[in-house]
Amino acid sequence: MAEARDDGFSRYARQAWPALRRTAFLLTSDWHEAEDLVQRTLIALHRHWDRLERHDRLSGYARAIMIRLVYSDRRSHRWSREVLHELPPEPEPLADPYTLVVDRILLMNALAGLGPRQRAAVVLRYWEDRSVEETASAMGSEGSTVRSQTVRALATLRTALTAASDGTAGEARRNAEDATRAAVPGR
């Protein structure tokens, strides 16, 4: 019995890991934190595995667990979190030919500037292409809350991205280009 339970959970975890990891990265903006968040989500899911009746509909439940863990982390670490200001020293990489990467970094930085609820609303609605009702269910809130969080988040993103593209935020574009160079090993 326990072996069948573990086999079923292992199959689900292997299948769901990539999607959960992408969602976790969008919520946290850090691959290491995303890995930890996925592991904590799967641990929480494993605790209740025997009581879950619909194993074919676990992705929504897993996302809801993940979002609650992000909220909890942000609430408890609001004042005690370390903020890194400098990148570790690395050799100067070659010029990056991929301009789309810079735009993606600008988008990810703008997304990281949103609050956890707004970020969750945008990620679930537009990145994962969920409906308002599905997003509200995953966030544990009403549809009107999802709509208002989405509108505010999109306005904030537009402002940040417009400033970056107008040249008024040339520094932001240069920072994104520097981050791109630092993120590409061996270049």
Side-chain angles (χ1 to χ4, degrees):
M1 177 70 174
E3 192 172 303
R5 169 190 173 210
D6 290 340
D7 287 343
F9 180 78
S10 295
R11 271 194 309 276
Y12 171 76
R14 275 192 303 275
Q15 175 191 3
W17 185 274
L20 289 174
R21 186 171 177 253
R22 282 190 301 273
T23 301
F25 175 73
L26 292 170
L27 293 171
T28 63
S29 300
D30 181 345
W31 283 114
H32 301 291
E33 192 175 345
E35 291 280 341
D36 292 343
L37 182 60
V38 171
Q39 289 176 7
R40 291 174 44 218
T41 300
L42 290 174
I43 288 169
L45 191 63
H46 187 266
R47 275 190 228 127
H48 303 289
W49 189 257
D50 289 335
R51 290 182 271 168
L52 298 174
E53 294 178 12
R54 298 288 311 257
H55 289 259
D56 57 330
R57 292 190 169 189
L58 289 175
S59 59
Y61 183 59
R63 272 193 306 279
I65 291 172
M66 185 179 295
I67 289 169
R68 287 187 184 106
L69 286 170
V70 168
Y71 289 164
S72 176
D73 288 349
R74 296 298 188 255
R75 197 176 311 119
S76 63
H77 297 296
R78 186 171 294 154
W79 300 107
S80 65
R81 228 178 136 143
E82 292 180 26
V83 178
L84 301 177
H85 294 284
E86 293 184 29
L87 293 173
E90 293 188 18
E92 185 65 30
L94 299 175
D96 188 9
Y98 303 104
T99 58
L100 292 177
V101 173
V102 173
D103 292 337
R104 185 176 181 112
I105 289 174
L106 286 173
L107 177 62
M108 296 308 292
N109 287 341
L111 191 62
L114 297 175
R117 284 191 164 285
Q118 288 181 353
R119 187 183 313 169
V122 169
V123 167
L124 293 173
R125 286 280 292 129
Y126 298 106
W127 201 280
E128 291 194 356
D129 198 28
R130 304 289 173 197
S131 69
V132 172
E133 293 78 22
E134 290 173 329
T135 303
S137 175
M139 291 176 62
S141 60
E142 298 294 323
S144 60
T145 303
V146 169
R147 285 189 289 276
S148 69
Q149 292 291 328
T150 303
V151 167
R152 289 182 186 132
L154 290 176
T156 303
L157 288 174
R158 279 188 195 104
T159 302
L161 295 175
T162 301
S165 67
D166 286 348
T168 57
E171 184 66 28
R173 183 166 283 284
R174 281 189 294 280
N175 289 343
E177 289 170 354
D178 292 342
T180 301
R181 287 187 196 100
V184 179
R187 298 207 79 189

